[in-house]
């Protein structure tokens, strides 16, 4: 075979290769044409085998032509492979305009949210925050508050007893005593915290619940101050149209004592399901600190007067968020908690 006829074969194969490259459009087809032209038994190998029959003086030029063809084939096929990969992966390529994966952020518990709002309002009125123990002696929970042995509030159905005279506090009023013991008037505090009572859980009762205690003692404090502070709180919390009302009631540590209600903040007093048609939401008890309590902790009851009030955090949260079952606050069901 002469160089010329080998060169002719090279050109023919090159043309075949070019049209095969133009036609191939799947991974399998590209691989097939690579084997056909560049494989061990492919067209290019076959050309190299024929090189031996070319006269020695023409062999160099002929070999060069085959090598060029081989190089051309390798370059074209690898270009084809990468072009094919680029087009077939378009769908899987990241779309940078899609929203990212948001980490699940936690949120504050509805009782925490309500408690924080209440605290802020009272802090702005000059009240400090006080704290007291949840496991308390009977003295601070009852005796010092003028609740003697035999009083209904001390009976088994209400109080959870620990032992050695300790109880789980049934209200936050223990903090009144603890604050007055260590501080001379003027006193102006609120104290948020957990309370415990031996109640069977139902839609309106939970053995664990939250109160916010308020206490203000100074010279010349009157029931009008109590009323003003509670009214101001109600309006800041729920809006300027709020009304409050006091109903005479009895708590051994206040005299006179009252229970107080807010205008129902769902229906604004017209009457609805949440307020059971009354137009009012019951909040808690309040009154003027009983002079007996001042005597117990050593304040001069001739010189000082004061008021105290409680506040049921769950009651406010239930009406505010229209939660109909108090147990929701304690079950930690994420479907409930994620709504706040
Ligand atoms: N401690 C009372 C209760 O738990 C509420 C209260 C607080 C009443 C302060 C009067 C003054 O029901």
């Amino acid at each position: 075979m002469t160089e010329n006829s080998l060169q002719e074969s090279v050109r023919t194969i090159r043309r075949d290769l070019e049209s095969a490259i133009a036609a191939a459009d799947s991974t399998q087809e590209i691989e097939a044409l690579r084997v056909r032209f560049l494989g061990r038994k492919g067209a290019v190998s076959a050309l190299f085998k024929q090189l031996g029959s070319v006269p020695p003086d023409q062999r160099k030029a002929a070999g060069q032509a085959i090598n060029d063809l081989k190089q051309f084939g390798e370059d074209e096929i690898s270009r084809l492979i990468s072009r094919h990969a680029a087009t077939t992966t378009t769908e899987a390529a990241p779309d940078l305009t899609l929203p990212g994966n948001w980490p699940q952020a936690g949120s504050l518990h509805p009782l925490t949210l309500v408690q924080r709002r209440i605290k802020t309002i009272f802090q702005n009125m000059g009240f400090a925050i006080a704290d007291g123990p949840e496991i308390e002696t009977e003295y601070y929970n009852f005796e010092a508050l003028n609740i003697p042995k035999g009083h209904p509030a001390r009976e088994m159905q209400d109080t959870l007893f620990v032992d050695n005279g300790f109880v789980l506090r049934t209200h936050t009023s223990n903090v009144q005593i603890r604050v007055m013991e260590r501080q001379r008037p003027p006193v102006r505090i609120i104290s948020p915290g957990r309370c415990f009572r031996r109640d069977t859980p139902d839609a309106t009762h939970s053995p664990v619940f939250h109160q916010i205690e308020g206490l203000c003692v100074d010279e010349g404090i009157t029931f009008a101050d109590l009323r003003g502070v509670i009214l101001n709180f109600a309006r800041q919390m729920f809006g300027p149209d709020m009304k409050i009302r006091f109903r005479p009631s009895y708590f051994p540590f206040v005299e006179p004592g009252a229970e107080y209600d807010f205008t129902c903040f769902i229906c604004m007093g017209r009457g609805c399901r949440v307020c059971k048609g009354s137009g009012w939401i019951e909040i808690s008890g309040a009154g003027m600190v009983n002079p007996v309590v001042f005597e117990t902790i050593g304040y001069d009851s001739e010189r000082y007067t004061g008021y105290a009030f409680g506040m049921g955090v769950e009651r406010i949260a239930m009406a505010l968020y229209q939660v109909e079952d108090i147990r929701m606050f304690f079950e930690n069901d994420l479907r409930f908690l994620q709504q706040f």
Side-chain angles (χ1 to χ4, degrees), residues 245-256:
R245 75 174 182 190
F246 287 81
R247 292 174 283 112
S249 185
Y250 176 72
F251 298 93
F253 41 96
V254 287
E255 182 58 38

Side-chain angles (χ1 to χ4, degrees), residues 77-90:
I77 288 172
S78 69
R79 198 172 306 147
L80 184 61
I81 289 171
S82 51
R83 200 169 354 136
H84 184 73
T87 50
T88 52
T89 54
T90 308

Side-chain angles (χ1 to χ4, degrees), residues 137-306:
T137 62
E138 293 190 45
Y139 174 78
Y140 287 104
N141 197 79
F142 296 126
E143 265 137 56
L145 288 160
N146 194 30
I147 308 174
K149 282 219 160 60
H151 188 280
R154 292 180 76 156
E155 280 174 15
M156 280 295 287
Q157 74 268 25
D158 278 331
T159 308
L160 286 156
F161 291 89
V162 184
D163 52 17
N164 305 329
F166 285 94
V167 298
L168 296 183
R169 68 174 175 192
T170 58
H171 51 187
T172 44
S173 300
N174 64 325
V175 185
Q176 291 186 31
I177 305 302
R178 290 187 171 272
V179 167
M180 288 190 285
E181 262 185 3
R182 60 172 187 249
Q183 190 184 325
R184 297 280 100 196
V187 170
R188 203 190 280 133
I189 58 103
I190 59 160
S191 184
R194 265 192 300 196
C195 306
F196 309 85
R197 284 187 201 176
R198 238 186 68 157
D199 274 326
T200 305
D202 63 24
T204 54
H205 293 86
S206 164
V208 183
F209 58 99
H210 297 77
Q211 285 189 339
I212 295 186
E213 193 78 8
L215 174 70
C216 174
V217 183
D218 203 349
E219 291 178 29
I221 299 288
T222 69
F223 206 105
D225 296 310
L226 168 63
R227 195 179 188 299
V229 161
I230 297 287
L231 182 61
N232 187 19
F233 167 77
R235 293 193 168 160
Q236 288 199 49
M237 185 85 186
F238 300 108
D241 297 331
M242 287 304 273
K243 293 188 173 64
I244 59 169
R245 75 174 182 190
F246 287 81
R247 292 174 283 112
S249 185
Y250 176 72
F251 298 93
F253 41 96
V254 287
E255 182 58 38
E259 282 178 281
Y260 66 97
D261 308 332
F262 289 176
T263 309
C264 174
F265 18 88
I266 304 304
C267 63
M268 288 318 281
R270 283 186 296 276
C272 69
R273 215 154 51 107
V274 174
C275 61
K276 298 186 185 71
S278 74
W280 296 97
I281 302 276
E282 211 178 292
I283 304 297
S284 185
M288 299 305 291
V289 179
N290 193 325
V292 173
V293 174
F294 284 153
E295 311 279 281
T296 305
I297 50 93
Y299 278 7
D300 181 350
S301 62
E302 294 294 322
R303 182 170 169 202
Y304 297 112
T305 52

